[in-house]
Amino acid sequence: MLPLMLADVEQAAARIEGHVTRTPLVCSSSLSAFSNQPVYLKLETRQPIGAFKLRGAMNAILSLDEAARKRGLVTASTGNHGRAVAYAARELGLPATICMSALVPANKVEAIRALGAEIRIVGSSQDDAQEEVERLVASRGLVAIPPFDNINVAAGQGTIGLEILEDLPELSTVLIPLSGGGLAGGIAVAIKALMPQTRIIGISMARGAAMHAAVVAGRPVAIREEETLADSLGGGIGLQNRVTFALCRSLIDEIVLLAEDEIAAGIRHAAREESETVEGAGAVGIAAILAKKVSLTGPSVIIVSGGNIDPEIHKTIVDGVVA
Ligand SMILES: *Cc1c(COP(=O)(O)O)cnc(C)c1O
């Protein structure tokens, strides 16, 4: 039996309603023409933090009892998950601490500080920051909110699947950015339960695709992390993975891997043709279609998962100087 069921996702949807944005599903005329099938974009860039991660963080926090909430929340993410925890905590009037290493760039530190979270700078690696999270859980009783491998987090991300089926009941294929698998696993639980014939395609960068390596090996494996334009898709799935590996292994039909120039083309297309500022991780669905690495056989949805990209890097890519 899988660790997450449709009922969990439905409960998450009821819990987070009013706390997150119900995002629009918009038709892309250029990608529809390109693939000879109706193609829609699910714009998670419209969440108040610019990425879907608010759904999972909000559901996990709202699932805590009163005493746990008041002790405060802690996480080590400096990316979209860190923003999500900081934002959700502020909305709910709860304290949040984000641990990060001294190597995290100042703009990322400030983005999270601006959301009202307490910042703790420790050590010089993500592992050091994660160890600090575990110390704060043990010593002060703070509650750790993990970025993906958690039932409530994955259920929150899965609410995207329910919204898609409400808006597009004739759905045939969903293209989902894939890293730790909370997003793809959660959405797949909802969609496979309600429309089992729908194809679920996970998309990662070829450089350091942890879930792909795990599915191929049949168990979580250590991977070497590499720099990529899809920086929000970096990192491992955890060698002790408890939730998302099982979901992705049994519910994802196919995993597509992309080269860096293909991801750049996705970002560029989003800006030029769709007028959307999309980060590398958010552009992989568009990129997979443009690279002809997926064949669509009916109405299809691309999860545009986030838009938090350094403006300078974005400009360089859109102007076509890089890749
Ligand atoms: C976290 C993230 C993903 C991947 O989500 P997982 O649940 O880790 O697979 C994709 N896109 C963006 C923008 C993200 O922040």
Side-chain angles (χ1 to χ4, degrees), residues 51-53 80 147-148 157 177-184 232-233 279 281-282 305-306:
F52 73 90
K53 289 248 178 26
N80 289 327
F148 55 85
Q157 324 302 27
L178 176 63
S179 175
L183 179 65
S232 293
L233 300 184
E279 61 177 284
S305 54

Side-chain angles (χ1 to χ4, degrees), residues 112-293:
I112 288 179
R113 202 193 302 277
L115 290 169
E118 187 188 321
I119 311 281
R120 267 178 101 88
I121 310 259
V122 263
S124 56
S125 72
Q126 181 64 19
D127 286 349
D128 292 342
Q130 186 55 42
E131 280 171 22
E132 179 68 4
V133 169
E134 281 144 32
R135 271 195 295 277
L136 291 172
V137 169
S139 65
R140 293 205 211 153
L142 300 193
V143 180
I145 306 292
F148 55 85
D149 194 28
N150 172 281
I151 288 172
N152 293 315
V153 170
Q157 324 302 27
T159 60
I160 294 170
L162 300 178
E163 292 177 15
I164 291 171
L165 289 180
E166 277 170 26
D167 292 351
L168 188 72
E170 63 275 30
L171 177 68
S172 149
T173 302
V174 193
L175 308 181
I176 312 178
L178 176 63
S179 175
L183 179 65
I187 292 174
V189 164
I191 288 183
K192 289 285 188 186
L194 294 166
M195 289 253 308
Q197 70 281 26
T198 307
R199 234 176 10 131
I200 305 279
I201 301 179
I203 307 160
S204 302
M205 63 289 161
R207 288 188 180 171
M211 187 61 82
H212 178 257
V215 168
V216 168
R219 62 185 163 80
V221 287
I223 49 119
R224 197 161 60 90
E225 218 179 304
E226 296 178 71
E227 233 182 87
T228 167
L229 281 175
D231 54 312
S232 293
L233 300 184
I237 67 165
L239 294 178
Q240 310 297 326
N241 188 292
R242 283 182 299 179
V243 176
T244 57
F245 174 61
L247 297 180
C248 291
R249 173 160 66 170
S250 52
L251 299 177
I252 293 181
D253 296 294
E254 186 185 335
I255 297 177
V256 169
L257 302 181
L258 295 176
E260 293 298 301
D261 61 336
E262 293 169 336
I263 298 170
I267 295 172
R268 195 177 301 124
H269 175 96
R272 291 187 183 168
E273 305 292 331
E274 319 288 346
S275 303
E276 294 290 334
T277 301
V278 175
E279 61 177 284
V284 295
I286 295 173
I289 291 181
L290 294 176
K292 296 197 159 80
K293 286 189 168 171

